[in-house]
Amino acid sequence: MHQDTLYLSVYKKLLAILGSKCDDDDECQFFFDSATGVLEVEQALHLTYSDVNDADALSPTCELYTSYLAKSVYSQPLSVGIAAILPCFTIYKAVGDFILAQPQVEGNPYQDWINTYGGEEFAQSTARAVEIANRHASLCDDATLEKMNAAFIKASKLEWMFWDSAFNKEEWVI
């Protein structure tokens, strides 16, 4: 979970930036609350499982993923930035739900993580993120909608690559 902690240190900032770009007060508050949730709850949860210090570096894939998200949030229309960050919500929720549905193992050291991402509070946040993305998609022209779809697909692939790189303990080769 080491790279996950480093990833979240970037992701929370991108959520706050999305919040600052929103015209709708409720959407603005959602993204600020989500960033705060990462900062206060999720970040603490991940620090339970890993020892991270400021000298630690993002793996190549983690850097690629966070750079792509930052590019999408900073330089694309708000709707595209929202589409790019959405896979983190939806994939974490799907994985949390899947693991939570499996027989529970007594003393599982990752049970807090499973409960967080398989829990009702995260389900509500994920549903709200999807609702916001869908609202923005409904207001887009076809070209922007295509960019939203492409951003969602690419970020989904990068999410998979990110977890694969963490599983394989990817490091910089030079």
Side-chain angles (χ1 to χ4, degrees), residues 80 140-148:
V80 176
C140 288
D141 58 32
D142 288 343
T144 305
L145 188 57
E146 249 182 69
K147 287 181 181 180
M148 285 183 75

Side-chain angles (χ1 to χ4, degrees), residues 24 38 43 50 112 120 154:
D24 181 277
V38 170
Q43 195 75 334
S50 64
D112 287 342
E120 185 56 34
K154 188 173 210 172

Side-chain angles (χ1 to χ4, degrees), residues 2 10 47 60 76 80 119 131 134 148 154 156 163:
H2 175 78
V10 175
L47 288 174
Q76 294 293 317
V80 176
E131 178 185 307
N134 286 340
M148 285 183 75
K154 188 173 210 172
S156 296
W163 283 106

Side-chain angles (χ1 to χ4, degrees), residues 51-149:
D51 183 23
V52 179
N53 62 57
D54 291 338
D56 291 328
L58 297 172
S59 70
T61 301
C62 187
E63 186 164 330
L64 173 67
Y65 186 20
T66 56
S67 296
Y68 176 74
L69 293 178
K71 180 184 93 163
S72 297
V73 168
Y74 281 109
S75 67
Q76 294 293 317
L78 174 61
S79 56
V80 176
I82 291 169
I85 62 93
L86 192 58
C88 185
F89 279 94
T90 58
I91 292 171
Y92 271 59
K93 179 64 184 139
V95 170
D97 285 348
F98 176 80
I99 296 171
L100 195 59
Q102 304 308 305
Q104 301 301 299
V105 175
E106 177 109 13
N108 184 342
Y110 298 104
Q111 195 62 53
D112 287 342
W113 188 97
I114 296 164
N115 293 342
T116 295
Y117 294 111
E120 185 56 34
E121 187 175 338
F122 193 69
Q124 291 173 4
S125 291
T126 301
R128 180 67 176 133
V130 169
E131 178 185 307
I132 291 169
N134 286 340
R135 187 181 84 73
H136 282 266
S138 73
L139 301 172
C140 288
D141 58 32
D142 288 343
T144 305
L145 188 57
E146 249 182 69
K147 287 181 181 180
M148 285 183 75
N149 286 329

